[in-house]
Amino acid sequence: MAFAWSAYVVLWSLFAFSITALWPQPRVFFHGSSTVWVSPALRLSFVNRTSELSSAWGIGDGIQQLLSGLLRNQTTNKDSEPEDIIAAFERTKTLIFDQRFVPRKFHPKNITFEPAVDEERRIITTLTVILSKLDHIIAKEQVLNPSDETYQLYISESGHASITAATSRGAIYGLDTFAQLFYAHSQSPTESYLLIAPIHIQDWPESEHRGINLDISRNWIAPEDVLRVLNAMAHCKLDRLHLHASDAQSWPLDVPSLPKLAIEGAYDSSQIWTPQDLRQVQRHGQLRGIEVYLEIDIPGHTTSIAASHSELVTSAYREPWTTYAAEPPAGQLALGSLEAMTFLTTLFNDLVARNGEVSSHFHFGGDEVNARVYGLGSDPSMTKEKIRAHVQEIMDHAFAIAKNHSQIPIVWEELLLEWNLTLPSNTIIQTWRSNRALAHVLDRGHRVLFGSSTHWYLDCGHGAWLDPDDPAKPGPDPRASPPYMDECAPYKNWRTIYSYNALDGLSPEQRRLVIGGEVHMWNEMTDAVTLDSMLWPRAAAAAEILWTGTATPVSEDTTRRLAELRERLLLEGVAAGMVQMEWCLRHKGRCRI
């Protein structure tokens, strides 16, 4: 038996990565060349070996009824199981049997690329999902960042299929990988197959935090649009959605304890997220292994508060805005104000508490604080140190509320690097300007997120939102005069994003502090109509880097795998942008240079 197993390892190695199209690429992947089919009546068998109450059952029609008693007895938490596994299994069946991806455009015309429908079948009828400790993999392979998201996937030539995972989140990832292995047959309305059995995968993420930062404040992004984002994220094994939920331009988030905030601060009464909307989005993410958390940016980017509470904002709508803000309208939260502190207490005891029911993180912003708003340079008595002390007071107040609700605070890099604030030891610093900022934060010993604007800003290269004051004589600002470029041009295409290596040159000690990163979708020039194509497939390129931890060179294999993911996203109703010209996909090897 040992000899036979060794022979399989050699066989799998010969075929490794030749005809696979998984995204992100698994860490360890061996396969053969046999055909296995999957039954439309696929059933789930679940075994929990991490609990004293281990159990196994078959799940087919009526699964909710079958498990309703068990689910009622479970405590709702961030890893509800097996409810999230059941939901993932149902999505897997939808991906395979309902969306039915036939990879025609990846093969030359009139070439047979599918198995014969009348051949002898080896059929998968049951998929077994096992929750079990995988310490042997974690100890051996994950030296820098031990992960509880590890999974193993095995499919035999005879049609036995199993996923073993350390947690339900790992099982969810394994189920998505399972779905990506299968193709629908063009001559059959129900059947799907794979050509590379047996399969053995061991997989785990390099980064704990694999996210998208999505601005929902500058242009209206509805909750249903974000649900679609979460669906696409699940296919890429992204696990954090950071909602930048308010800014100077609008306040779209309903806060029941401060009802006038959204009523007065939103663009329109039809453009408000209710508490139920937010909970639906967070729950939708939870069932896909994605933590959805909020950012309320303070003390800058707060002018929209002035629409309902004008006394809380200094220099609201002051002109020229270019002196007092990075974008119009100007205005920042008042410093040294008892009323402002009372407002923050009410705001965060509402939002942080509700966020904490489904998330362990809350983002308090802190970027682009403009000292001129507070009189620096115009008031001789004002110094940056005085402003710093007031900013420290505001942030300490926010951090205390976060601690009361067991939330880990996240802030932008400026609070540490420009304002030199004293931050709680568990604070995560999000860098955005350059890899130099990342290095400086690491020197200070904080955990950090990367996502430099030089590579991972998805809004760049689409032109600015500024018009010249005098069209006949446009000024020197290139954003409002030829060539009308935005400040972070050029456009970051998916290959640029894929080539970003934030970890280059870091020591093992420094890398332990890098918990991951986020790709950024600021939406000055993006709304619900263009959101999908702005995010995808570029966010997927970042997802593979965050999963594997390597900025490998772009190859034709990379292009073809990402193009296949794009086809699957389209079938799910995500209007993802192009990856590659179809002729190149149909003629492998002919578009190299």
Side-chain angles (χ1 to χ4, degrees):
M1 186 65 185
F3 175 82
W5 178 256
S6 298
Y8 272 129
V9 171
V10 172
L11 175 66
W12 292 346
S13 297
L14 289 173
F15 284 96
F17 307 115
S18 59
I19 52 174
T20 58
L22 298 176
W23 195 279
Q25 188 81 278
R27 308 298 288 269
V28 178
F29 184 13
F30 299 117
H31 64 79
S33 57
S34 297
T35 300
V36 171
W37 300 73
V38 60
S39 169
L42 181 69
R43 294 170 61 85
L44 172 66
S45 175
F46 177 80
V47 181
N48 187 352
R49 293 178 182 163
T50 65
S51 169
E52 294 180 0
L53 301 175
S54 296
S55 55
W57 54 83
I59 302 175
D61 295 333
I63 56 174
Q64 293 298 337
Q65 288 80 2
L66 181 64
L67 295 177
S68 59
L70 174 64
L71 295 178
R72 278 196 300 270
N73 293 328
Q74 289 183 332
T75 301
T76 301
N77 55 44
K78 299 181 180 66
D79 280 313
S80 60
E81 49 184 77
E83 187 180 5
D84 48 1
I85 295 176
I86 296 169
F89 176 69
E90 293 301 314
R91 290 195 304 274
T92 296
K93 291 201 297 182
T94 297
L95 292 171
I96 296 173
F97 302 115
D98 296 343
Q99 296 180 7
R100 295 188 49 76
F101 172 51
V102 178
R104 291 184 182 89
K105 66 168 58 177
F106 293 82
H107 301 277
K109 188 176 181 180
N110 299 325
I111 292 293
T112 299
F113 60 88
E114 298 172 308
V117 293
D118 56 353
E119 69 176 16
E120 183 180 353
R121 305 290 181 85
R122 288 166 289 190
I123 301 174
I124 301 171
T125 59
T126 300
L127 175 58
T128 301
V129 173
I130 304 165
L131 291 188
S132 178
K133 294 181 180 180
L134 296 174
D135 294 342
H136 61 293
I137 297 177
I138 294 174
K140 179 181 178 182
E141 305 288 355
Q142 301 172 42
V143 179
L144 290 177
N145 296 299
S147 170
D148 64 356
E149 299 171 279
T150 303
Y151 71 91
Q152 295 184 108
L153 190 155
Y154 176 70
I155 299 174
S156 73
E157 289 179 294
S158 61
H160 291 97
S162 66
I163 295 168
T164 304
T167 63
S168 60
R169 184 173 283 186
I172 290 170
Y173 299 148
L175 284 161
D176 186 75
T177 298
F178 181 84
Q180 287 190 40
L181 288 166
F182 289 90
Y183 300 105
H185 201 290
S186 63
Q187 302 303 311
S188 170
T190 60
E191 296 174 302
S192 296
Y193 65 91
L194 61 80
L195 296 170
I196 55 173
I199 290 172
H200 180 69
I201 292 172
Q202 289 183 357
D203 205 9
W204 63 91
E206 176 70 16
S207 298
E208 166 193 340
H209 188 121
R210 308 179 302 279
I212 292 175
N213 167 29
L214 177 60
D215 178 2
I216 62 171
S217 59
R218 290 184 173 95
N219 279 309
W220 171 240
I221 303 293
E224 54 266 29
D225 300 315
V226 180
L227 297 180
R228 196 170 61 254
V229 171
L230 289 166
N231 291 341
M233 289 177 67
H235 293 307
C236 310
K237 299 181 175 62
L238 291 165
D239 70 341
R240 300 285 196 278
L241 179 59
H242 159 191
L243 293 179
H244 182 83
S246 65
D247 214 289
Q249 292 80 15
S250 85
W251 187 288
L253 200 62
D254 179 25
V255 181
S257 60
L258 295 164
K260 289 187 177 180
L261 263 179
I263 291 173
E264 303 295 337
Y267 284 133
D268 187 82
S269 60
S270 65
Q271 298 181 352
I272 294 175
W273 280 51
T274 68
Q276 294 74 28
D277 291 332
L278 177 60
R279 178 49 54 92
Q280 179 192 12
V281 166
Q282 290 182 310
R283 180 60 175 155
H284 196 80
Q286 197 175 33
L287 289 173
R288 286 154 180 76
I290 301 167
E291 178 183 335
V292 181
Y293 68 93
L294 294 174
E295 177 191 353
I296 300 296
D297 201 346
I298 60 170
H301 295 272
T302 48
T303 316
S304 59
I305 295 172
S308 57
H309 300 78
S310 59
E311 72 282 3
L312 302 181
V313 178
T314 298
S315 299
Y317 312 108
R318 189 172 180 178
E319 295 290 347
W321 65 264
T322 50
T323 300
Y324 304 104
E327 295 180 2
Q332 292 176 171
L333 200 64
L335 301 181
S337 164
L338 179 61
E339 291 81 3
M341 298 294 274
T342 301
F343 168 83
L344 291 178
T345 300
T346 303
L347 174 68
F348 288 136
N349 276 330
D350 184 318
L351 280 181
V352 176
R354 285 193 285 121
N355 184 76
E357 294 173 4
V358 290
S359 171
S360 57
H361 299 84
F362 198 96
H363 202 307
F364 292 100
D367 65 317
E368 297 180 328
V369 178
N370 190 315
R372 288 187 290 272
V373 168
Y374 301 122
L376 189 67
S378 58
D379 180 354
S381 67
M382 184 55 67
T383 65
K384 187 170 182 178
E385 183 56 32
K386 287 182 180 179
I387 298 171
R388 192 200 74 81
H390 285 304
V391 174
Q392 181 78 65
E393 179 185 28
I394 280 180
M395 301 312 299
D396 283 346
H397 189 57
F399 296 149
I401 295 173
K403 183 177 180 180
N404 289 341
H405 295 286
S406 302
Q407 296 282 276
I408 298 169
I410 305 176
V411 298
W412 295 106
E413 64 184 58
E414 290 97 317
L415 289 186
L416 182 70
L417 300 183
E418 289 188 9
W419 292 97
N420 196 31
L421 295 195
T422 300
L423 304 173
S425 59
N426 68 335
T427 304
I428 297 169
I429 310 299
Q430 184 160 24
T431 61
W432 63 274
R433 288 182 291 189
S434 68
N435 274 8
R436 291 190 302 275
L438 176 67
H440 291 323
V441 171
L442 291 171
D443 290 342
R444 303 283 289 271
H446 278 279
R447 291 187 300 162
V448 65
L449 296 172
F450 59 79
S452 173
S453 59
T454 60
H455 286 75
W456 278 18
Y457 265 38
L458 302 182
D459 58 308
C460 298
H462 285 268
W465 32 266
L466 293 168
D467 291 312
D469 194 38
D470 183 354
K473 298 179 181 179
D477 192 326
R479 296 176 298 174
S481 60
Y484 302 104
M485 300 291 288
D486 56 64
E487 61 270 17
C488 59
Y491 177 84
K492 279 59 172 164
N493 62 58
W494 73 260
R495 290 179 174 85
T496 299
I497 289 165
Y498 195 81
S499 67
Y500 176 50
N501 186 359
L503 305 180
D504 187 36
L506 299 183
S507 68
E509 292 74 20
Q510 289 175 315
R511 290 184 65 175
R512 287 189 179 93
L513 293 173
V514 181
I515 63 171
E518 293 182 349
V519 63
H520 302 276
M521 186 66 262
W522 302 112
N523 74 354
E524 288 92 341
M525 295 293 288
T526 299
D527 62 9
V529 176
T530 59
L531 179 62
D532 288 5
S533 60
M534 289 288 285
L535 274 173
W536 310 106
R538 294 186 294 159
E544 179 153 295
I545 299 304
L546 289 163
W547 185 267
T548 64
T550 56
T552 55
V554 173
S555 66
E556 186 177 20
D557 169 74
T558 314
T559 301
R560 294 178 69 84
R561 287 189 300 108
L562 186 57
E564 182 168 309
L565 176 71
R566 188 249 181 179
E567 296 301 311
R568 294 181 184 272
L569 291 178
L570 292 176
L571 289 171
E572 187 146 1
V574 177
M578 288 293 296
V579 174
Q580 179 62 295
M581 180 168 59
E582 183 170 343
W583 192 91
C584 299
L585 296 177
R586 288 186 177 273
H587 299 85
K588 186 176 180 180
R590 300 286 299 279
C591 291
R592 300 176 186 172
I593 189 171

